[in-house]
């Protein structure tokens, strides 16, 4: 069974993040390896705090990780750089989860269910950091570009998954339908239904599935 792995390459090209900050100043391989471990530990700590609903200030990261402030500034240029590296890590994991099997093949109800489920569970996994990215980090160029890239990835997947139906529409209707489904299954939609209205994930999935079915079957 083949998979359409649309996601990670497009996202990382858009993010244009340097892969490793501050790891080439030491000549010793052992010291570099230790710095890399500490660097990854700081990123892990940041993600833990966000998933626990914390604001993830630098002081909190220092306290939880046990890594000194001075050392953190050897691994990252500043808090924005740390935030970007965390955003990259979370995006990598989300891209790995958001893979559709054989897009465009199979009965429409099955394709709708798969698309809604993949989108929903990817958003659920990254929801806490998605809130942080939009609330505190959206002014960082790389984060803003990354959020746009994630939306574009979802759009490409949507077109692939529902190409048989979209191909029957004229250009204007096709674009309206694509835009509507993207809005329907967006982070903002998930946030309203799950966090603000308190809907269980299975109810959100049913809501999305029914709405996508209605949109694609409309004359």
């Amino acid at each position: 069974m083949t998979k359409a792995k649309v996601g990670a390459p497009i996202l990382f090209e858009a993010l244009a993040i340097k892969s490793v900050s501050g790891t080439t100043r030491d000549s010793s391989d052992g010291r570099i390896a230790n710095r890399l471990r500490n660097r990854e530990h700081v990123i892990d700590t940041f993600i833990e705090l966000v998933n626990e609903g914390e604001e993830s200030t630098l002081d909190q990261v220092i306290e939880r990780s046990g890594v000194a402030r001075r050392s953190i500034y050897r691994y990252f240029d500043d808090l924005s750089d740390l935030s970007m590296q965390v955003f990259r890590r979370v995006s990598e994991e989300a891209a790995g989860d958001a893979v559709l099997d054989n897009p465009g093949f199979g009965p429409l109800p099955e394709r709708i269910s798969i698309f809604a489920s993949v989108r929903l569970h990817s958003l659920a996994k990254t929801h806490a950091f998605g809130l942080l990215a939009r609330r505190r980090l959206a002014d960082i160029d790389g984060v803003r570009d990354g959020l746009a890239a994630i939306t574009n990835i979802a759009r490409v997947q949507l077109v692939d998954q529902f190409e048989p139906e979209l191909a029957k529409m004229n250009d204007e209707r096709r674009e309206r339908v694509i835009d509507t489904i993207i809005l329907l299954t967006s982070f903002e939609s998930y946030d309203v239904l799950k966090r603000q209205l308190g809907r269980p994930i299975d109810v959100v999935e049913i809501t999305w599935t029914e709405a996508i079915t209605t949109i694609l079957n409309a004359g």
Side-chain angles (χ1 to χ4, degrees):
M1 217 170 169
T2 60
K3 290 186 177 182
K5 295 190 177 181
V6 178
I10 298 174
L11 177 59
F12 302 149
E13 182 179 345
L15 287 175
I17 305 173
K18 56 188 175 184
S19 59
V20 178
S21 300
T23 60
T24 59
R25 297 174 191 168
D26 292 325
S27 58
S28 166
D29 289 343
R31 293 178 67 185
I32 292 175
N34 186 59
R35 292 181 68 179
L36 284 170
R37 282 194 296 271
N38 284 342
R39 179 180 178 278
E40 291 305 302
H41 178 53
V42 170
I43 292 174
D44 289 339
T45 300
F46 193 114
I47 293 173
E48 286 176 8
L49 288 166
V50 172
N51 286 334
E52 292 171 9
E54 300 292 341
E55 284 297 308
S56 298
T57 64
L58 189 57
D59 287 341
Q60 287 175 307
V61 172
I62 291 168
E63 181 179 358
R64 175 74 66 90
S65 69
V67 178
R69 183 184 301 269
R70 199 166 102 187
S71 295
I72 287 178
Y73 279 113
R74 293 178 68 195
Y75 310 142
F76 307 98
D77 295 338
D78 50 30
L79 186 58
S80 293
D81 183 30
L82 169 57
S83 299
M84 284 299 306
Q85 301 304 326
V86 173
F87 187 80
R88 181 187 178 104
R89 166 83 73 77
V90 173
S91 299
E92 281 180 341
E93 295 176 357
D97 292 337
V99 175
L100 298 176
D101 289 341
N102 295 326
F105 294 94
L108 178 59
E110 180 180 321
R111 284 184 283 122
I112 292 174
S113 177
I114 291 171
F115 181 81
S117 178
V118 168
R119 286 287 296 147
L120 177 61
H121 287 89
S122 177
L123 288 169
K125 185 172 182 178
T126 60
H127 182 242
F129 196 79
L131 287 172
L132 177 68
R134 287 160 174 82
R135 186 175 66 246
R136 284 176 45 199
L137 308 178
D139 290 336
I140 301 173
D141 289 343
V143 171
R144 186 169 56 248
D145 293 343
L147 292 173
I150 290 169
T151 298
N152 288 334
I153 290 166
R155 186 181 180 89
V156 170
Q157 290 182 320
L158 187 159
V159 170
D160 287 345
Q161 187 75 334
F162 303 120
E163 183 56 35
E165 291 70 34
L166 295 171
K168 299 174 184 177
M169 304 175 187
N170 63 47
D171 290 345
E172 289 185 3
R173 172 160 174 71
R174 175 187 171 95
E175 289 304 305
R176 288 200 303 271
V177 166
I178 293 170
D179 290 347
T180 301
I181 297 176
I182 285 295
L183 286 171
L184 173 68
T185 60
S186 65
F187 173 90
E188 289 74 17
S189 170
Y190 174 83
D191 186 58
V192 169
L193 291 169
K194 183 67 172 64
R195 183 173 65 91
Q196 298 182 33
L197 297 181
R199 303 292 186 253
I201 287 182
D202 59 336
V203 173
V204 177
E205 187 169 346
I206 292 170
T207 300
W208 283 6
T209 298
E210 290 180 345
I212 295 171
T213 301
T214 299
I215 292 166
L216 290 174
N217 287 330

